[in-house]
Amino acid sequence: MPVPAPPAVLDDSPGARRREQRGWYFYDWANSAFYTVVISVFLGPYLIPVAKTAACAKDFPSVEPGRCVDTFDQLAAASPGLGYVDVLGADIRPAAYFGLITTVAVFLQIVILPIVGALADHTGRKKEMLGVFAYAGALAALCLFFVEGDRYLLGGVLFILANLAYGASIVVYDSFLPQISTPEERDGVSSRGWAIGYLGGGLLLALNLVLYLQYESLGLTQGMAVRICMMSAGLWWATFTIIPLLRLRNRPVPAHETTALRSVGGSFRQLGRTLSELRRYPLTLLFLVAYLVYNDGVQTVIGNSAAFASEALKLPQEVQITAILMVQFVAFFGALLLGRLARSFGTKRTVLASLVLWTAIVAMAMFVAEGQALQFYLMAFAIAIVLGGTQALSRSLFSQVIPKGREAEYFSLLQISDKGSAFIGSLTITLALQFTNSYRIAILSMVVFFVLGFVLLAMTNLPKAIRAAGNEVPARV
């Protein structure tokens, strides 16, 4: 009986790692277009009027559609019980619809992403899974072009599918980080990836800003321009995903694990073991809870920033787009700056300081005057300084406190609250809007997330957590 050949040993030299790292960075460049263009800028402010159009057609059919949307808030306020859209039999305010579909998308991620992580770790097919999820999400983003008129349900379904595929691809993508970098390289690699993502999203947003501002001279309607911009995010995502798929390499997994866990059912069993195993790493669990709390706040603020500007501050979309464009390029330098500060003062201290700044920024939202673009720009600038660094350094810290060979499973738990997938935060925003109809109060409620996350992170003994997971403790953490 022939003896099976041993698995090939991958080249793990510094040069080979750098080649993979450069390819890995480009997936941040690719997927950030969806997050920046669709989630942060266009979809919320576009989908709310689409939902208002549907509510107008249902409850105020005698009012001209264009005029109805412009005066919708006054009409709804003067007509108790009217001004809602139907979502599976529930009456939902149009202003709360985007928050609702975000909450649904995140709930589905909570169920599905851990299974994705288990499959990625135990089939060894990370590169292939990255490609499948990336292109599924890109296709759903491309199809947002067809959301117009009163098709709010189509927009919701496509967003949920795109966001779910996006989250699944990030689980697989993040799980490469510990495999392509040493513990001492981790902060720098994570920060550079996040920074390059801001450049990619910012570049596409800049191109879209030209299209959006010149739509009349190009013979387009404003709605058509927005739909083209959202479609371009899917095209960008699909195109640049080719680079990491060419550079990243699958790692071999033990043959008995590959055989035992070929089925999805096997991955469910492994998920149960992973969750049970967390009890052996209480400090890893404490860090994970801290991250889920404060990152809920980060992602909810970012995901609702455009809607906050349009609904609470009554700022035109040109201001919203230019502010978020500024955030992309300032955040590039902010991510690198916080990465440098982490090398000098320690990663944990740097993240804690960023949470203090987040708390102050959210509190400022109550005092930004309606129509004051300069005040909104200053608030956006402050967010940009801490945005990328908070997340990049948190990703790096988490990679240090998880056991080897279970990277995707553990990163799936992290991703539940990562980019655009804040569950409790989005639910909090939705409830606040449903009961108060005030975006200022909704945004202010995020202070609780930053304060609680700060306390939990401060309580986490990271060197002890890293040693407990069987990893080497970096010089500064």
Side-chain angles (χ1 to χ4, degrees):
M1 181 175 180
V3 177
V9 177
L10 289 178
D11 180 5
D12 196 33
S13 65
R17 284 203 311 274
R18 282 194 295 272
R19 184 178 186 275
E20 267 193 293
Q21 288 165 8
R22 286 192 290 268
W24 185 81
Y25 297 149
F26 264 95
Y27 191 66
D28 251 320
W29 173 280
N31 72 67
S32 289
F34 170 72
Y35 183 74
T36 302
V37 173
V38 176
I39 296 179
S40 298
V41 179
F42 287 111
L43 186 60
Y46 179 76
L47 202 54
I48 290 173
V50 170
K52 287 181 177 179
T53 299
C56 283
K58 176 172 68 74
D59 293 335
F60 310 110
S62 61
V63 182
E64 184 181 344
R67 180 173 171 271
C68 183
V69 170
D70 293 337
T71 60
F72 180 82
D73 291 338
Q74 293 88 342
L75 290 169
S79 307
L82 299 180
Y84 294 84
V85 291
D86 178 75
V87 180
L88 300 179
D91 288 334
I92 302 297
R93 291 183 187 273
Y97 180 62
F98 184 63
L100 174 66
I101 61 175
T102 301
T103 303
V104 171
V106 177
F107 177 77
L108 291 175
Q109 288 186 343
I110 290 172
V111 175
I112 293 173
L113 296 195
I115 308 306
V116 170
L119 281 170
D121 279 334
H122 297 287
T123 62
R125 300 288 186 179
K126 290 185 179 181
K127 187 166 73 169
E128 292 82 356
M129 291 180 67
L130 178 64
V132 168
F133 290 123
Y135 284 106
L139 178 61
L142 282 164
C143 289
L144 287 171
F145 177 80
F146 301 103
V147 178
E148 60 179 331
D150 61 355
R151 296 177 181 173
Y152 68 98
L153 289 176
L154 175 63
V157 169
L158 288 173
F159 169 73
I160 289 169
L161 292 175
N163 204 36
L164 182 59
Y166 169 83
S169 73
I170 296 295
V171 167
V172 182
Y173 166 71
D174 282 349
S175 73
F176 276 103
L177 177 60
Q179 297 178 333
I180 64 173
S181 60
T182 66
E184 298 296 339
E185 294 173 337
R186 207 74 49 83
D187 285 348
V189 171
S190 185
S191 296
R192 283 191 291 275
W194 227 290
I196 288 171
Y198 284 119
L199 279 185
L203 177 59
L204 181 61
L205 183 59
L207 297 173
N208 283 331
L209 180 60
V210 174
L211 171 66
Y212 181 79
L213 294 178
Q214 301 297 322
Y215 70 86
E216 288 184 334
S217 63
L218 296 173
L220 303 173
T221 64
Q222 186 180 60
M224 174 65 78
V226 170
R227 287 159 52 209
I228 291 174
C229 290
M230 292 192 292
M231 181 178 68
S232 73
L235 182 61
W236 181 283
W237 188 359
T239 301
F240 287 104
T241 293
I242 295 172
I243 297 174
L245 293 181
L246 291 175
R247 291 289 183 92
L248 292 171
R249 299 173 296 173
N250 289 329
R251 266 64 181 176
V253 297
H256 68 279
E257 290 197 4
T258 305
T259 302
L261 292 167
R262 281 177 179 169
S263 67
V264 174
S267 295
F268 269 104
R269 291 191 295 275
Q270 179 57 38
L271 171 60
R273 287 193 289 270
T274 299
L275 294 175
S276 177
E277 186 182 64
L278 267 175
R279 292 180 296 181
R280 293 172 48 199
Y281 306 109
L283 291 174
T284 297
L285 178 59
L286 180 58
F287 176 83
L288 177 62
V289 172
Y291 178 81
L292 294 181
V293 170
Y294 68 72
N295 196 56
D296 264 358
V298 171
Q299 294 307 321
T300 304
V301 170
I302 298 305
N304 288 273
S305 59
F308 170 76
S310 62
E311 297 295 314
L313 305 183
K314 308 302 181 185
L315 293 172
Q317 196 159 28
E318 291 84 349
V319 172
Q320 301 166 35
I321 297 173
T322 52
I324 295 174
L325 180 61
M326 176 195 69
V327 165
Q328 300 305 303
F329 293 105
V330 174
F332 168 78
F333 295 103
L336 297 179
L337 171 64
L338 265 66
R340 187 174 296 274
L341 290 175
R343 290 197 294 273
S344 300
F345 300 103
T347 311
K348 178 180 175 180
R349 289 180 180 176
T350 304
V351 174
L352 288 173
S354 75
L355 296 180
V356 173
L357 292 175
W358 272 108
T359 303
I361 291 166
V362 169
M364 286 169 51
M366 291 297 293
F367 304 101
V368 178
E370 185 176 310
Q372 290 296 314
L374 178 59
Q375 294 179 17
F376 181 67
Y377 282 130
L378 292 174
M379 184 178 174
F381 183 86
I383 286 176
I385 294 297
V386 294
L387 175 60
T390 302
Q391 297 170 308
L393 295 177
S394 296
R395 176 171 65 180
S396 174
L397 282 176
F398 189 67
S399 73
Q400 309 275 12
V401 299
I402 59 178
K404 288 183 174 63
R406 296 289 185 267
E407 294 88 358
E409 293 169 33
Y410 279 86
F411 270 110
S412 70
L413 303 178
L414 192 73
Q415 178 58 22
I416 286 171
S417 184
D418 206 359
K419 293 178 181 176
S421 55
F423 176 61
I424 301 175
S426 62
L427 179 60
T428 302
I429 288 284
T430 302
L431 292 175
L433 287 170
Q434 184 77 356
F435 291 114
T436 71
N437 206 27
S438 170
Y439 254 102
R440 292 182 188 273
I441 294 175
I443 294 296
L444 182 63
S445 68
M446 295 299 103
V447 166
V448 176
F449 291 81
F450 296 122
V451 172
L452 181 57
F454 179 97
V455 172
L456 293 173
L457 179 58
M459 292 169 55
T460 306
N461 185 331
L462 286 172
K464 186 176 179 181
I466 294 170
R467 286 191 294 268
N471 297 323
E472 176 188 345
V473 180
R476 284 191 178 275
V477 65

